[in-house]
């Protein structure tokens, strides 16, 4: 057996990589685990499929079911073949209840309609999406500004609300032929 003296102090990880790791550890939130480029997929309570992605995520070590998200993208594939896409700067995902909250600079697209807001909360149990704070809907029929929207996913209904004693601001183009044909 031949043994040549070796430098046992030699590092297995290059210095540059060690510095990158140390920087990531220093930037992570206290008491949390940090993940990059995460993806959750699953089915909601009604059997609709969803994909939730985040460029950076972290959870509190004391409450692992809640995952804080940065640079968030969610896509809901509904049974009727319609698709809802939501993007936001921040989010919160409960990996037990499957509830999803989106915060800051929300941009959503549903059947050609574009929605902008600051807060959107998806409730799996209630099967709805509540949208609030600077809500703007832009569709081929016009523009609506509101304080709050509640989209019932199962019933495919949308409730539009304003603050008490205030009005909803809307500029909507009605197609009279469709109204007349429906008997209204």
């Amino acid at each position: 057996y031949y043994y040549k003296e070796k430098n046992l102090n030699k590092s297995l990880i290059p210095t540059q990589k060690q510095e990158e790791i140390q920087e990531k550890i220093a930037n992570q939130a206290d008491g949390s685990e940090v993940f990059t480029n995460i993806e959750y997929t699953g089915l909601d309570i009604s059997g609709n499929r969803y994909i939730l992605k985040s460029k950076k995520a972290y959870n509190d070590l004391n409450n692992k079911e809640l995952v804080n998200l940065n640079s968030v993208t969610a896509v809901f594939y509904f049974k009727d073949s319609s698709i809802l896409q939501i993007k936001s700067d921040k989010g919160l995902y409960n990996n037990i209840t499957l509830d999803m909250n989106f915060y800051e600079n929300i941009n959503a697209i549903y059947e050609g309609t574009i929605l902008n807001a600051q807060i959107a909360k998806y409730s799996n149990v209630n099967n709805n999406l509540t949208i609030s704070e600077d809500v703007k809907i832009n569709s081929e029929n016009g523009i609506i500004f509101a304080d709050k929207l509640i989209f019932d996913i199962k019933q495919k209904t949308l409730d539009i609300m304003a603050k008490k004693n205030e009005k909803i601001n809307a500029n909507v183009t009605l197609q009279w032929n469709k109204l007349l044909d429906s008997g209204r």
Side-chain angles (χ1 to χ4, degrees):
Y1 179 77
Y2 178 75
Y3 178 78
K4 186 175 180 181
E5 201 172 304
K6 294 183 180 183
N7 182 0
L8 298 176
N9 293 329
K10 186 177 179 183
S11 176
L12 297 175
I13 302 173
T15 305
Q16 182 180 0
K17 195 64 166 172
Q18 287 179 3
E19 290 171 1
E20 288 176 21
I21 292 169
Q22 289 300 322
E23 184 179 328
K24 284 183 180 179
I25 290 171
N27 289 333
Q28 86 182 32
D30 291 336
S32 66
E33 298 172 313
V34 176
F35 308 95
T36 56
N37 298 317
I38 63 135
E39 182 175 306
Y40 292 98
T41 60
L43 297 173
D44 68 10
I45 201 165
S46 296
N48 298 305
R49 191 168 60 93
Y50 69 87
I51 299 173
L52 178 65
K53 296 180 182 182
S54 176
K55 290 187 179 178
K56 184 177 178 182
Y58 57 95
N59 63 345
D60 186 326
L61 294 175
N62 297 321
N63 194 1
K64 288 200 179 230
E65 69 263 12
L66 295 179
V67 181
N68 291 285
L69 310 167
N70 289 329
S71 299
V72 185
T73 301
V75 182
F76 294 87
Y77 299 93
F78 299 116
K79 289 181 187 177
D80 68 356
S81 298
S82 62
I83 297 172
L84 170 63
Q85 297 175 341
I86 301 175
K87 291 184 180 184
S88 68
D89 291 347
K90 296 183 179 184
L92 182 68
Y93 177 61
N94 186 315
N95 58 30
I96 302 296
T97 65
L98 309 181
D99 291 344
M100 300 171 211
N101 295 340
F102 304 90
Y103 305 102
E104 297 181 16
N105 301 313
I106 296 165
N107 183 342
I109 300 172
Y110 179 72
E111 295 187 339
T113 298
I114 299 171
L115 179 138
N116 300 101
Q118 294 304 310
I119 298 173
K121 295 182 178 186
Y122 167 73
S123 172
N124 185 39
V125 174
N126 296 326
N127 208 18
N128 68 22
L129 181 65
T130 302
I131 302 154
S132 59
E133 302 293 324
D134 301 323
V135 179
K136 177 183 176 186
I137 301 171
N138 191 348
S139 75
E140 64 182 30
N141 294 329
I143 300 172
I144 297 174
F145 295 92
D147 292 313
K148 187 176 184 180
L149 304 174
I150 299 176
F151 177 56
D152 185 315
I153 294 169
K154 192 171 189 173
Q155 301 297 322
K156 299 286 184 190
T157 60
L158 179 65
D159 292 331
I160 303 171
M161 293 169 246
K163 292 178 185 172
K164 187 176 181 179
N165 299 324
E166 292 192 22
K167 296 179 182 176
I168 296 168
N169 185 0
N171 181 5
V172 180
T173 303
L174 298 176
Q175 295 180 356
W176 289 104
N177 292 341
K178 285 186 179 180
L179 289 174
L180 293 173
D181 290 342
S182 66
R184 292 183 182 163

